[in-house]
PDB file of all heavy atoms in Angstrom:
ATOM      1  N   VAL A1152      29.677  39.583  28.236  1.00 95.00           N
ATOM      2  CA  VAL A1152      29.887  39.062  26.883  1.00 95.00           C
ATOM      3  C   VAL A1152      30.806  37.843  26.911  1.00 95.00           C
ATOM      4  O   VAL A1152      30.527  36.803  26.298  1.00 95.00           O
ATOM      5  CB  VAL A1152      30.478  40.154  25.973  1.00 95.00           C
ATOM      6  CG1 VAL A1152      30.864  39.573  24.619  1.00 95.00           C
ATOM      7  CG2 VAL A1152      29.482  41.304  25.785  1.00 95.00           C
ATOM      8  N   LEU A1153      31.906  37.948  27.662  1.00 97.00           N
ATOM      9  CA  LEU A1153      32.928  36.901  27.638  1.00 97.00           C
ATOM     10  C   LEU A1153      32.482  35.621  28.332  1.00 97.00           C
ATOM     11  O   LEU A1153      32.875  34.526  27.910  1.00 97.00           O
ATOM     12  CB  LEU A1153      34.211  37.428  28.280  1.00 97.00           C
ATOM     13  CG  LEU A1153      34.991  38.449  27.464  1.00 97.00           C
ATOM     14  CD1 LEU A1153      36.193  38.955  28.256  1.00 97.00           C
ATOM     15  CD2 LEU A1153      35.453  37.849  26.145  1.00 97.00           C
ATOM     16  N   VAL A1154      31.678  35.726  29.393  1.00 97.00           N
ATOM     17  CA  VAL A1154      31.318  34.512  30.126  1.00 97.00           C
ATOM     18  C   VAL A1154      30.538  33.549  29.232  1.00 97.00           C
ATOM     19  O   VAL A1154      30.791  32.335  29.230  1.00 97.00           O
ATOM     20  CB  VAL A1154      30.526  34.854  31.413  1.00 97.00           C
ATOM     21  CG1 VAL A1154      29.168  35.453  31.113  1.00 97.00           C
ATOM     22  CG2 VAL A1154      30.356  33.606  32.282  1.00 97.00           C
ATOM     23  N   HIS A1155      29.633  34.085  28.425  1.00 97.00           N
ATOM     24  CA  HIS A1155      28.851  33.204  27.552  1.00 97.00           C
ATOM     25  C   HIS A1155      29.622  32.818  26.289  1.00 97.00           C
ATOM     26  O   HIS A1155      29.429  31.729  25.741  1.00 97.00           O
ATOM     27  CB  HIS A1155      27.516  33.873  27.218  1.00 97.00           C
ATOM     28  CG  HIS A1155      26.716  34.184  28.447  1.00 97.00           C
ATOM     29  ND1 HIS A1155      26.182  33.200  29.250  1.00 97.00           N
ATOM     30  CD2 HIS A1155      26.396  35.372  29.033  1.00 97.00           C
ATOM     31  CE1 HIS A1155      25.547  33.761  30.267  1.00 97.00           C
ATOM     32  NE2 HIS A1155      25.672  35.067  30.166  1.00 97.00           N
ATOM     33  N   THR A1156      30.523  33.696  25.845  1.00 98.00           N
ATOM     34  CA  THR A1156      31.402  33.342  24.733  1.00 98.00           C
ATOM     35  C   THR A1156      32.320  32.189  25.140  1.00 98.00           C
ATOM     36  O   THR A1156      32.560  31.258  24.352  1.00 98.00           O
ATOM     37  CB  THR A1156      32.243  34.554  24.307  1.00 98.00           C
ATOM     38  OG1 THR A1156      31.377  35.630  23.918  1.00 98.00           O
ATOM     39  CG2 THR A1156      33.155  34.202  23.142  1.00 98.00           C
ATOM     40  N   ALA A1157      32.822  32.235  26.382  1.00 98.00           N
ATOM     41  CA  ALA A1157      33.691  31.161  26.876  1.00 98.00           C
ATOM     42  C   ALA A1157      32.938  29.833  26.941  1.00 98.00           C
ATOM     43  O   ALA A1157      33.490  28.779  26.576  1.00 98.00           O
ATOM     44  CB  ALA A1157      34.229  31.524  28.262  1.00 98.00           C
ATOM     45  N   VAL A1158      31.679  29.882  27.378  1.00 98.00           N
ATOM     46  CA  VAL A1158      30.872  28.653  27.423  1.00 98.00           C
ATOM     47  C   VAL A1158      30.649  28.124  26.010  1.00 98.00           C
ATOM     48  O   VAL A1158      30.739  26.911  25.762  1.00 98.00           O
ATOM     49  CB  VAL A1158      29.535  28.905  28.128  1.00 98.00           C
ATOM     50  CG1 VAL A1158      28.604  27.694  28.002  1.00 98.00           C
ATOM     51  CG2 VAL A1158      29.762  29.227  29.601  1.00 98.00           C
ATOM     52  N   LEU A1159      30.364  29.011  25.070  1.00 97.00           N
ATOM     53  CA  LEU A1159      30.161  28.603  23.679  1.00 97.00           C
ATOM     54  C   LEU A1159      31.411  27.914  23.128  1.00 97.00           C
ATOM     55  O   LEU A1159      31.328  26.846  22.500  1.00 97.00           O
ATOM     56  CB  LEU A1159      29.823  29.828  22.829  1.00 97.00           C
ATOM     57  CG  LEU A1159      29.718  29.601  21.319  1.00 97.00           C
ATOM     58  CD1 LEU A1159      28.599  28.616  20.992  1.00 97.00           C
ATOM     59  CD2 LEU A1159      29.492  30.927  20.593  1.00 97.00           C
ATOM     60  N   ILE A1160      32.578  28.499  23.376  1.00 97.00           N
ATOM     61  CA  ILE A1160      33.826  27.907  22.891  1.00 97.00           C
ATOM     62  C   ILE A1160      34.067  26.550  23.551  1.00 97.00           C
ATOM     63  O   ILE A1160      34.479  25.576  22.892  1.00 97.00           O
ATOM     64  CB  ILE A1160      35.010  28.854  23.157  1.00 97.00           C
ATOM     65  CG1 ILE A1160      34.858  30.127  22.315  1.00 97.00           C
ATOM     66  CG2 ILE A1160      36.338  28.168  22.855  1.00 97.00           C
ATOM     67  CD1 ILE A1160      35.881  31.200  22.643  1.00 97.00           C
ATOM     68  N   SER A1161      33.788  26.463  24.857  1.00 97.00           N
ATOM     69  CA  SER A1161      33.966  25.191  25.566  1.00 97.00           C
ATOM     70  C   SER A1161      33.025  24.125  25.016  1.00 97.00           C
ATOM     71  O   SER A1161      33.424  22.969  24.815  1.00 97.00           O
ATOM     72  CB  SER A1161      33.715  25.393  27.062  1.00 97.00           C
ATOM     73  OG  SER A1161      33.881  24.194  27.777  1.00 97.00           O
ATOM     74  N   PHE A1162      31.776  24.509  24.769  1.00 96.00           N
ATOM     75  CA  PHE A1162      30.834  23.568  24.162  1.00 96.00           C
ATOM     76  C   PHE A1162      31.368  23.057  22.824  1.00 96.00           C
ATOM     77  O   PHE A1162      31.316  21.859  22.529  1.00 96.00           O
ATOM     78  CB  PHE A1162      29.482  24.250  23.940  1.00 96.00           C
ATOM     79  CG  PHE A1162      28.585  24.300  25.150  1.00 96.00           C
ATOM     80  CD1 PHE A1162      28.987  23.770  26.358  1.00 96.00           C
ATOM     81  CD2 PHE A1162      27.329  24.872  25.065  1.00 96.00           C
ATOM     82  CE1 PHE A1162      28.156  23.804  27.472  1.00 96.00           C
ATOM     83  CE2 PHE A1162      26.490  24.907  26.165  1.00 96.00           C
ATOM     84  CZ  PHE A1162      26.901  24.382  27.373  1.00 96.00           C
ATOM     85  N   TYR A1163      31.875  23.975  22.019  1.00 95.00           N
ATOM     86  CA  TYR A1163      32.325  23.617  20.665  1.00 95.00           C
ATOM     87  C   TYR A1163      33.586  22.754  20.708  1.00 95.00           C
ATOM     88  O   TYR A1163      33.713  21.776  19.960  1.00 95.00           O
ATOM     89  CB  TYR A1163      32.591  24.887  19.865  1.00 95.00           C
ATOM     90  CG  TYR A1163      33.043  24.621  18.451  1.00 95.00           C
ATOM     91  CD1 TYR A1163      32.135  24.243  17.466  1.00 95.00           C
ATOM     92  CD2 TYR A1163      34.401  24.731  18.105  1.00 95.00           C
ATOM     93  CE1 TYR A1163      32.563  23.982  16.165  1.00 95.00           C
ATOM     94  CE2 TYR A1163      34.826  24.482  16.812  1.00 95.00           C
ATOM     95  CZ  TYR A1163      33.892  24.104  15.846  1.00 95.00           C
ATOM     96  OH  TYR A1163      34.316  23.846  14.569  1.00 95.00           O
ATOM     97  N   ARG A1164      34.530  23.092  21.594  1.00 95.00           N
ATOM     98  CA  ARG A1164      35.822  22.394  21.615  1.00 95.00           C
ATOM     99  C   ARG A1164      35.776  21.077  22.381  1.00 95.00           C
ATOM    100  O   ARG A1164      36.411  20.102  21.980  1.00 95.00           O
ATOM    101  CB  ARG A1164      36.891  23.297  22.245  1.00 95.00           C
ATOM    102  CG  ARG A1164      37.212  24.550  21.468  1.00 95.00           C
ATOM    103  CD  ARG A1164      38.400  25.258  22.081  1.00 95.00           C
ATOM    104  NE  ARG A1164      39.619  24.443  21.944  1.00 95.00           N
ATOM    105  CZ  ARG A1164      40.709  24.605  22.693  1.00 95.00           C
ATOM    106  NH1 ARG A1164      40.730  25.530  23.641  1.00 95.00           N
ATOM    107  NH2 ARG A1164      41.766  23.853  22.498  1.00 95.00           N
TER     108      ARG A1164
END
Side-chain angles (χ1 to χ4, degrees):
V1152 173
L1153 288 176
V1154 67
H1155 301 293
T1156 301
V1158 172
L1159 174 62
I1160 294 172
S1161 180
F1162 278 0
Y1163 181 77
R1164 295 188 66 200

